[in-house]
Amino acid sequence: MANSATSYQARKVVFVDGVRTPFGKAKPDGYYAHTRADDLAVKSLRELLRRNPELPPERIDDVIFAATTQQGDQGLTLGRTVALLSGLPNTVPGFALDRMCAGAMTAVTVAAGSIGIGAQDIVVTGGVEHMGNHPMGFDASPNPRFLSEKIVAPDALNMGVTAENLHDKFPHLTKERSDAYAVASQQKYAAAVNAGKISPDLVPVALRNPELGWGLATTDELARPDTTVEGIANLKTPFRVGGKVTAGNASPLTDGATVAVMAGEDTARELGLNVGMRLVSYAFAGVEPEIMGYGPVPSTEKALERAGLSIDDIGLFELNEAFAVQVLSFLDHYGIADDDPRVNEYGGAIAMGHPLASSGVRLMIQLSRQFKEHPEVRYGVTAMCIGLGMGGTVIWENPHHADFAPVTGNE
């Protein structure tokens, strides 16, 4: 059990396991047009519990769920409602949080902090975003001081425009490079699907359409494996006339949910739970809102410094692909090639989608699976840009590496 309040001490924290729904297009004809957001979260949590029978539900200390647009079926203290609807004991509390795209990532780091000091042992973390029913920023009322006092530029609240601003800031990150990166993401994702590396993490979701009847979502809906550079070269640039950001080199609007279990490593080993990876360090950082996509650069620098590591120590990267140029700016800063095989081995959000607050855990699910395939890699990174000018990074250690030292007691 968790240490008493008088004896908190640092503990190793691990990612046990995670699952997600198939990601659907956020449109009236998409998978989840007639499915509630909270039901997507509930379905994910129930499946996660089913896959981890060693986890006693009553040992879960908290349930943290993120959503960016917290209204309707994405509101009402989402963590607690999902816990109750999932059949967890009434003794298990829960809450909701919001850090826009990094909601689920923040749920993980909040849980890690609590577990790390011994206040809790096991926390369920996740995120859900039904962008079809709850568009980003819908019914929000940004304070007029943002513009009247010139705190941000008028276009800083539009994520697509901030991506165009990155192209302006780094002219060598051309549209052609963005398009080529996007096509590669589609191809890597298709190869991962064909190799059976995506489906094991997906939770089948029953669908009901008033006109078509019942169905079952078992695969991501948004991928375009036949995408070519030539095919997306002349797509419209919706954020700027003659711009560089298109639907071909950006993530699509997406519905979906993710969920994961975080635990103290000593507790995981006590219960016989899987140890998918160990959290090493994490950091969030701010940048000018006008270049939101650059956020992962300073957050990664902070996380590396706190871990006593350099970028050369990182053997795998899971970077959220909100926009291709955003990833390219990160790679360019660290001198990593656009096609480096360490980066997004299974493809990324450009291919499979980006349901905002849930994407952080999706990155972790994929990194954990890749760690099993790459025991030669000791450290990996999950990182993403965040609206209003932020970045988030978590560094993980591979338990399959020869130098990994398992916790044998309450260390």
Side-chain angles (χ1 to χ4, degrees):
M1 300 296 291
N3 298 327
S4 69
T6 58
S7 60
Y8 287 165
Q9 57 182 295
R11 302 162 74 197
K12 304 291 187 181
V13 180
V14 298
F15 176 97
V16 173
D17 191 16
V19 297
R20 66 176 178 90
T21 67
F23 288 168
K25 58 183 178 181
K27 294 184 178 181
D29 62 343
Y31 276 165
Y32 306 124
H34 304 282
T35 302
R36 291 178 59 97
D38 51 9
D39 282 338
L40 293 176
V42 168
K43 178 66 176 178
S44 301
L45 177 49
R46 284 178 172 172
E47 178 62 15
L48 186 63
L49 294 172
R50 188 193 69 81
R51 295 189 189 194
N52 293 272
E54 303 86 358
L55 173 58
E58 67 275 9
R59 289 290 299 271
I60 297 172
D61 292 304
D62 219 340
V63 177
I64 311 173
F65 254 89
T68 300
T69 307
Q70 295 196 15
Q71 60 175 210
D73 56 353
Q74 287 185 180
L76 195 62
T77 314
L78 195 57
R80 175 60 169 171
T81 58
V82 169
L84 292 172
L85 291 166
S86 299
L88 293 180
N90 290 339
T91 53
V92 178
F95 66 98
L97 58 76
D98 169 29
R99 202 199 291 262
M100 301 188 80
C101 299
M105 175 179 281
T106 303
V108 166
T109 58
V110 168
S114 181
I115 294 168
I117 65 168
Q120 296 179 320
D121 288 331
I122 301 169
V123 180
V124 168
T125 60
V128 63
E129 208 75 53
H130 198 309
M131 299 182 74
N133 290 349
H134 309 289
M136 183 177 182
F138 180 76
D139 207 28
S141 178
N143 195 303
R145 291 180 50 238
F146 276 124
L147 301 184
S148 64
E149 298 181 17
K150 298 183 179 181
I151 295 171
V152 299
D155 56 13
L157 302 180
N158 184 310
M159 300 302 101
V161 174
T162 68
E164 290 283 8
N165 292 342
L166 271 184
H167 276 292
D168 293 343
K169 183 177 178 65
F170 303 111
H172 59 287
L173 302 181
T174 62
K175 180 178 184 299
E176 290 72 24
R177 283 180 67 178
S178 285
D179 285 353
Y181 180 88
V183 169
S185 179
Q186 297 280 358
Q187 293 172 343
K188 288 191 288 186
Y189 173 74
V193 169
N194 292 336
K197 296 180 179 180
I198 301 296
S199 59
D201 300 321
L202 301 186
V203 179
V205 178
L207 309 173
R208 183 182 179 277
N209 186 304
E211 297 178 359
L212 303 177
W214 289 92
L216 188 68
T218 59
T219 60
D220 294 318
E221 186 178 23
L222 291 146
R224 302 182 297 275
D226 297 328
T227 300
T228 63
V229 171
E230 295 75 19
I232 64 174
N234 297 312
L235 291 178
K236 295 180 179 179
T237 57
F239 305 110
R240 181 184 297 174
V241 175
K244 297 178 175 64
V245 179
T246 72
N249 58 37
S251 60
L253 301 179
T254 314
D255 302 332
T258 62
V259 65
V261 175
M262 300 295 294
E265 187 173 343
D266 55 323
T267 301
R269 297 193 185 281
E270 170 205 339
L271 296 173
L273 296 171
N274 176 64
V275 174
M277 49 190 184
R278 178 190 287 160
L279 195 151
V280 177
S281 73
Y282 66 86
F284 294 92
V287 295
E288 296 89 341
E290 294 80 4
I291 53 168
M292 174 272 304
Y294 199 64
V297 170
S299 65
T300 299
E301 290 175 343
K302 287 175 67 175
L304 288 169
E305 181 179 2
R306 290 172 176 173
L309 299 172
S310 75
I311 199 70
D312 295 331
D313 294 311
I314 307 303
L316 289 168
F317 295 85
E318 274 294 321
L319 308 177
N320 193 44
E321 298 171 353
F323 303 93
V325 67
Q326 168 256 315
V327 179
L328 292 176
S329 68
F330 178 96
L331 300 180
D332 193 65
H333 174 84
Y334 285 109
I336 300 171
D338 295 3
D339 59 353
D340 192 303
R342 298 174 297 167
V343 178
N344 292 7
E345 184 177 350
Y346 296 171
I350 288 172
M352 66 189 77
H354 173 29
L356 300 182
S358 54
S359 286
V361 164
R362 193 271 298 171
L363 301 174
M364 296 168 193
I365 291 169
Q366 294 190 186
L367 180 62
S368 179
R369 182 167 292 279
Q370 290 165 31
F371 271 161
K372 294 180 181 179
E373 300 173 359
H374 295 283
E376 77 282 3
V377 170
R378 185 169 185 182
Y379 299 108
V381 155
T382 55
M384 61 198 314
C385 62
I386 310 167
L388 297 181
M390 295 180 284
T393 300
V394 188
I395 299 176
W396 304 89
E397 185 177 7
N398 186 354
H400 309 283
H401 189 271
D403 294 332
F404 182 85
V407 166
T408 56
N410 189 10
E411 300 177 12

